[in-house]
């Protein structure tokens, strides 16, 4: 449980960083921005901990054929799934403008998560 909480906080920091640099993700609701980011990050952390490893294992042949580029598309799909879940279950109202920006944001989130995990010596 502690591992998930740390992963959730690291993901929230990474999402905040990424949407500050590239504002393609907007939150349209009555909640505060930080509450919306934490809800969105919770779903992103849950998806990355549960669904993403299975999808990465299943898509390994396609990832090899595309020289790793399909992994970027898969990370972007996880971003869209987290946006859908947070909108559907909590009514956060997450909107992603386009696929290209979402691809760049997913790369930024991945790099920021890796960097923060390395700095804090958190092992996943």
């Amino acid at each position: 449980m502690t591992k998930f909480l740390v992963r959730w906080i690291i993901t929230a920091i990474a999402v905040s960083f990424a949407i500050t640099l590239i504002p393609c993700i907007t939150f349209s609701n009555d909640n505060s921005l930080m509450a919306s980011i934490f809800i969105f990050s919770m779903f992103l952390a849950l998806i990355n901990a549960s669904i993403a490893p299975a999808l990465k294992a299943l898509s390994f042949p396609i990832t090899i054929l595309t020289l790793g580029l399909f992994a970027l598309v898969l990370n972007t799909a996880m971003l869209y799934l987290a946006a859908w879940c947070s909108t559907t279950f909590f009514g956060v109202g997450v909107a992603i403008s386009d696929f290209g920006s979402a691809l760049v944001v997913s790369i930024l989130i991945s790099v920021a998560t890796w960097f923060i995990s390395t700095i804090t010596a958190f092992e996943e």
Side-chain angles (χ1 to χ4, degrees):
M1 185 68 175
T2 307
K3 266 184 143 176
F4 176 73
L5 290 175
V6 172
R7 181 180 300 191
W8 182 12
I9 292 169
I10 289 173
T11 303
I13 294 168
V15 166
S16 299
F17 170 73
I19 66 171
T20 302
L21 288 178
I22 300 178
C24 78
I25 299 177
T26 56
F27 298 94
S28 58
N29 63 351
D30 296 332
N31 297 337
S32 71
L33 181 63
M34 283 309 294
S36 300
I37 288 174
F38 269 104
I39 291 170
F40 176 71
S41 299
M42 176 188 65
F43 280 109
L44 192 59
L46 279 171
I47 289 168
N48 284 337
S50 60
I51 298 171
L55 288 176
K56 287 179 183 178
L58 288 173
S59 66
F60 185 70
I62 298 169
T63 305
I64 294 297
L65 287 175
T66 60
L67 302 175
L69 293 177
F70 189 74
L72 299 175
V73 173
L74 194 60
N75 283 343
T76 307
M78 298 299 110
L79 196 67
Y80 274 104
L81 183 60
W84 178 80
C85 287
S86 59
T87 300
T88 302
F89 297 120
F90 282 98
V92 171
V94 179
I96 301 175
S97 61
D98 59 50
F99 185 80
S101 297
L103 182 69
V104 173
V105 166
S106 71
I107 292 169
L108 282 174
I109 290 172
S110 297
V111 170
T113 303
W114 169 80
F115 182 74
I116 295 167
S117 296
T118 302
I119 294 294
T120 60
F122 176 70
E123 295 185 24
E124 298 189 33

